[in-house]
Amino acid sequence: MKNKGILVVVSGFSGAGKGTLMKRLVSSYDGYALSVSMTTRPMRPDEEEGVSYFFVDRETFEKTIEAGGLVEYACYCGNYYGTPKAWVTEQLERGRDVILEIEIQGALKVREQFPDVLLLFVMPPTLEELKRRLAMRGTESAETIGRRLHRAAQEAEGIEQYDYIVVNDDLEECTAQMHALIQAAHQRPACRAEFIEEMREELKKLAKGEV
Ligand code: 5GP
């Protein structure tokens, strides 16, 4: 029997290296599907429509909310970001583990709808490293970087609500650790409910001498 995939939320401060980490996870291991969010934020030069995000205007975003087309959405530094529902549901049904790279408000909303979601929080090894990565990206103004650091300080208050933190020091090690955590999550009783139920039924029959 094929198990359903599990939903994994990955959050972390802007500049913590989530994007690189996610790409490495998906290219190193089978069975993962990376959700592409919808956003009203302008596209960065290194981004691609439908790959990095679905870039839309506010009106389209608000219509999608009204139509119930999003699992969750949030406003982050003045722009909307949201997770398209249909694709996520389909991938889970197919048995793939779906990764949502989203911020904390969205993460907590996902947990209300999917109590078995695995919540991971990516941390940079040091704050110096975070500042360096943000500046190196070179795609944002000093003002935007400032807003993102301010937001990081707010997000840091909610880290305890996550299941695990992963420290993104060495990319390979961090990718392997994240994969191991997701594999372990597959063995939680809630994710093996059908297997457990089958075993219980068989056990009852065995106890009654029926088999
Ligand atoms: P960025 O502009 O750097 O691509 O993303 C800004 C923040 O929005 C990041 O923390 C990212 O994880 C988050 N984000 C991206 N997509 C979504 C989404 O669909 N929903 C929510 N709630 N946050 C998202």
Side-chain angles (χ1 to χ4, degrees):
M1 180 204 322
K2 193 162 170 54
N3 282 312
K4 269 198 202 173
I6 61 172
L7 201 50
V8 182
V9 162
V10 179
S11 302
F13 313 136
S14 186
K18 291 170 302 210
T20 317
L21 193 55
M22 292 306 95
K23 278 191 206 131
R24 185 57 66 100
L25 182 75
V26 171
S27 64
S28 305
Y29 303 96
D30 289 335
Y32 291 120
L34 199 51
S35 166
V36 178
S37 296
M38 187 179 271
T39 186
T40 59
R41 149 163 96 56
M43 195 193 288
R44 294 179 190 142
D46 59 338
E47 290 182 326
E48 213 182 310
E49 165 66 23
V51 178
S52 320
Y53 282 105
F54 295 106
F55 295 93
V56 299
D57 56 24
R58 286 187 89 84
E59 196 189 336
T60 308
F61 198 101
E62 281 164 3
K63 278 192 181 149
T64 312
I65 299 174
E66 277 165 32
L70 300 176
V71 175
E72 60 72 43
Y73 67 94
C75 204
Y76 177 96
C77 295
N79 288 300
Y80 276 135
Y81 294 80
T83 307
K85 192 184 269 176
W87 190 85
V88 168
T89 315
E90 187 196 315
Q91 297 299 317
L92 290 173
E93 289 295 333
R94 281 200 201 170
R96 298 180 81 193
D97 292 340
V98 179
I99 317 254
L100 310 180
E101 189 208 311
I102 66 178
E103 52 67 69
I104 189 163
Q105 292 171 6
L108 300 179
K109 280 189 232 157
V110 171
R111 182 142 69 189
E112 283 169 18
Q113 289 177 60
F114 299 86
D116 300 326
V117 63
L118 178 67
L119 300 185
L120 304 178
F121 198 94
V122 180
M123 309 270 279
T126 61
L127 266 192
E128 276 311 306
E129 180 61 17
L130 182 78
K131 275 200 287 182
R132 198 187 64 81
R133 286 181 194 169
L134 266 178
M136 224 176 55
R137 192 147 80 184
T139 50
E140 279 114 4
S141 64
E143 191 204 333
T144 304
I145 293 178
R147 268 200 287 169
R148 284 174 175 253
L149 284 173
H150 186 72
R151 178 66 185 231
Q154 288 173 349
E155 293 203 327
E157 294 302 314
I159 296 177
E160 283 87 351
Q161 307 198 58
Y162 283 73
D163 296 310
Y164 297 96
I165 61 163
V166 274
V167 179
N168 187 13
D169 194 352
D170 178 89
L171 181 63
E172 295 308 325
E173 261 177 42
C174 192
T175 309
Q177 190 184 43
M178 196 169 267
H179 176 65
L181 288 170
I182 298 169
Q183 294 316 301
H186 273 279
Q187 304 308 324
R188 293 185 301 193
C191 297
R192 303 299 307 269
E194 287 180 33
F195 173 70
I196 295 169
E197 204 39 51
E198 264 177 29
M199 195 65 92
R200 279 189 184 133
E201 289 306 313
E202 290 296 310
L203 199 55
K204 275 184 206 153
K205 285 184 199 160
L206 196 62
K208 284 185 199 158
E210 290 173 11
V211 277

